[in-house]
Amino acid sequence: MDIRAGIAAGNKRAAARLITMIENGEPEAVEIIKENYDKIGTARIIGVTGPPGAGKSTVTDKLAKLLRKQGKKVAIIAVDPTSPFSGGAILGDRIRMSDLNTDEGVFIRSMGTRGALGGLSKSVNGAIKVMDILGCDYIFVETVGVGQSEIDIVKVADTVLMVMVPGLGDDIQAIKAGIMEIGDVFAVNKSDREGAEKTATEIELMLDLNGNTEYRPPVKNIIAKDNKGIEELWEAIEKHHEYMISSGNFNKRRQKAIETEILEIFKQNLLDKIERLEKKGEYLSDLTKKVFNKQIDPYTAAQELSSILSKEGGI
Amino acid sequence: MNRPIRVLVAKPGLDGHDRGAKVVARAMRDAGMEVIYTGLRQTPEQIAEAAIQEDVDCVAMSILSGAHNYLFPKVVQLLKEKGGEDILVIGGGVIPEEDIPGLKEAGIAEIFTPGTPTSVTIEFIKNNIKRN
């Protein structure tokens, strides 16, 4: 398959293969992204996060359908956890999105976390770029079911939608730092259940304590499976976007995201270099033995490793 | 290259029994594969399109309803139309012996009938996917 020609023609099979190449760390994939970088930056990226079972996939499915009615091209990246033991994964987010499978204007890709801990896969950034190149107007990134600290989504999304459900725990959960701080829009899904109003109130009370007086994240009660409240939810997402643009925060957030990405790539390149260095001469394992035998400490070992690396140069 | 094999596990047609498919999916996960599970009552179009978007190495389908002679070959045909002729297609479920040669003729690489250990299916996938 000629990936380059396929990408240029907007072919889904080529795009799907390119994402696989990114996931597998093939250098060729980076080259193709580089060549197409001028096409990147037009898609809006919406993060969908929340605890397991909150209904992230169902909400994403409904929002995507709403946008399809407006004629927009939509991509969905759905991340599920990789087993830390086998390296395998069961990726089940498509179950809630079956009707979108055959829609020409929708591209769904499931990803395993493959060891990443922040609720995403490290290939998400690359997959977003591929879908952006393909001309998608909106890209939804659905995280794994999160606990309290998987907040990597804030590093990639223009708007973070936090999907909550009634009855998750007492109000103290709501004031914990981390996950609750990154929501730009809150949805209380399954609002036909008991405790939905209480959950919404608890989120509102938590938001009362937030410092930002310019923008207050709205809290919407929805029932995604019945398509109730989805339009209002989308309006809230649009309002957040308008605020981000008018306040100048949109560009600030994107710049921050780019900075984070550069540093991530830099770190990865460094780790790759160490891996290649190790193939030449077991420097890391020697240093490890020395630290284990208390001949040196890990700080000194790290310093030695970086001086070996700079001596060996362009590995 | 050391990468996880990606498999789409799908239930085409109208039967609502996916215990077998789930057991196989779980075994594949434990063998280090990334399994995309699509749920019940999928049309061949949905399965083929999902396989393309997910760029899988293998599509594994399970049918208990008796509609395998139509649904399995249909998925193979649609995959070809979409440029996915290199994707390995296998089937499982309650498939009569006499139907198996015809299904293989139609491009289904192997059929696994009830009682097959999951390890046999997994070995088959590992040995027969067309991409390294």
Side-chain angles (χ1 to χ4, degrees):
Chain A
M1 189 190 332
D2 186 343
I3 308 278
R4 281 183 172 79
I7 293 290
N11 178 299
K12 276 187 188 172
R13 176 124 179 91
R17 179 60 53 86
L18 184 54
I19 293 173
T20 305
M21 290 163 68
I22 291 166
E23 280 199 290
N24 296 332
E26 293 179 34
E28 183 69 6
V30 173
E31 292 308 313
I32 298 175
I33 299 273
K34 278 188 194 170
E35 290 160 23
N36 286 283
Y37 202 75
D38 57 333
K39 300 191 190 79
I40 283 171
T42 54
R44 256 176 67 195
I45 300 147
I46 295 157
V48 183
T49 189
K56 294 180 291 298
S57 302
T58 309
V59 173
T60 305
D61 176 66
K62 302 298 180 202
L63 288 172
K65 279 177 185 146
L66 187 79
L67 290 166
R68 287 299 297 143
K69 275 190 209 143
Q70 300 171 12
K72 307 289 186 194
K73 247 180 118 175
V74 179
I76 299 167
I77 301 167
V79 187
D80 265 336
T82 294
S83 160
F85 302 108
S86 71
I90 293 187
L91 313 175
D93 291 315
R94 287 190 92 99
I95 297 173
R96 318 270 173 238
M97 306 175 185
S98 285
D99 314 339
L100 294 175
N101 273 0
T102 48
D103 185 331
E104 271 295 302
V106 179
F107 188 141
I108 307 171
R109 180 62 174 237
S110 314
M111 284 184 154
T113 51
R114 298 198 186 177
L117 297 174
L120 295 176
S121 144
K122 69 174 183 179
S123 312
V124 158
N125 254 316
I128 290 173
K129 287 187 179 63
V130 174
M131 288 163 168
D132 202 346
I133 292 167
L134 216 59
C136 293
D137 300 301
Y138 293 91
I139 302 170
F140 288 89
V141 181
E142 184 189 328
T143 71
V144 302
V146 300
Q148 289 165 338
S149 60
E150 294 96 333
I151 56 162
D152 277 1
I153 189 66
V154 78
K155 297 176 193 162
V156 300
D158 300 320
T159 298
V160 175
L161 169 63
M162 181 75 59
V163 183
M164 304 292 286
V165 272
L168 274 181
D170 56 24
D171 39 355
I172 199 72
Q173 295 294 340
I175 53 172
K176 283 198 178 160
I179 191 75
M180 293 299 280
E181 289 180 284
I182 64 164
D184 299 308
V185 176
F186 287 82
V188 179
N189 191 24
K190 309 186 190 182
S191 276
D192 48 343
R193 289 195 184 173
E194 200 188 318
E197 285 307 318
K198 184 166 174 266
T199 302
T201 309
E202 275 165 11
I203 298 167
E204 294 281 8
L205 287 172
M206 176 208 70
L207 293 170
D208 283 343
L209 304 172
N210 274 10
N212 189 349
T213 48
E214 264 182 50
Y215 175 82
R216 182 189 170 100
V219 183
K220 299 286 175 192
N221 283 89
I222 64 167
I223 309 169
K225 74 171 165 54
D226 298 337
N227 216 14
K228 283 197 179 133
I230 296 299
E231 279 184 35
E232 293 81 353
L233 183 60
W234 181 249
E235 275 167 33
I237 292 168
E238 286 290 69
K239 277 205 183 118
H240 174 257
H241 181 65
E242 284 159 24
Y243 157 73
M244 291 296 279
I245 295 287
S246 63
S247 63
N249 286 340
F250 182 85
N251 286 340
K252 270 189 213 155
R253 195 184 272 197
R254 284 227 164 161
Q255 275 184 31
K256 182 75 195 156
I258 291 169
E259 185 187 293
T260 307
E261 193 188 3
I262 295 171
L263 290 174
E264 292 290 332
I265 296 168
F266 185 79
K267 261 192 260 178
Q268 192 57 49
N269 289 350
L270 202 57
L271 290 174
D272 291 348
K273 273 189 182 172
I274 290 170
E275 207 172 289
R276 285 197 292 269
L277 185 72
E278 199 55 15
K279 277 180 193 149
K280 279 172 67 181
E282 298 191 354
Y283 301 99
L284 181 59
S285 43
D286 285 346
L287 287 168
T288 305
K289 272 178 215 146
K290 280 186 189 163
V291 175
F292 182 77
N293 295 326
K294 301 241 164 84
Q295 291 163 280
I296 55 168
D297 59 78
Y299 309 98
T300 312
Q303 272 165 3
E304 280 190 28
L305 190 60
S306 43
S307 59
I308 295 167
L309 205 57
S310 46
K311 250 185 274 164
E312 293 288 330
I315 304 158
Chain B
M1 181 179 293
N2 187 18
R3 60 171 189 91
I5 293 170
R6 284 170 69 87
V7 184
L8 187 85
V9 173
K11 283 281 305 169
L14 292 175
D15 79 89
H17 305 279
D18 64 348
R19 167 129 185 98
K22 280 178 175 161
V23 168
V24 172
R26 172 72 193 261
M28 289 169 175
R29 185 201 77 179
D30 291 343
M33 298 179 182
E34 281 186 354
V35 181
I36 295 99
Y37 186 64
T38 58
L40 294 169
R41 300 186 186 91
Q42 300 288 299
T43 64
E45 286 77 11
Q46 286 174 322
I47 292 168
E49 189 55 39
I52 295 293
Q53 292 178 16
E54 297 290 354
D55 191 30
V56 293
D57 303 282
C58 172
V59 173
M61 292 180 284
S62 156
I63 296 188
L64 304 173
S65 67
H68 48 267
N69 283 337
Y70 170 70
L71 293 168
F72 284 167
K74 184 76 183 163
V75 171
V76 173
Q77 179 211 329
L78 288 167
L79 282 174
K80 268 189 196 138
E81 283 170 18
K82 291 170 190 290
E85 59 281 328
D86 58 340
I87 298 172
L88 179 74
V89 180
I90 59 175
V94 189
I95 316 286
E97 279 295 324
E98 61 265 31
D99 288 350
I100 293 176
L103 290 171
K104 286 192 174 172
E105 187 93 350
I108 292 92
E110 190 57 273
I111 299 288
F112 300 94
T113 50
T116 311
T118 51
S119 55
V120 171
T121 312
I122 286 162
E123 274 311 301
F124 184 86
I125 295 173
K126 283 183 180 166
N127 295 331
N128 288 279
I129 55 168
K130 285 154 195 157
R131 260 191 282 156
N132 304 319

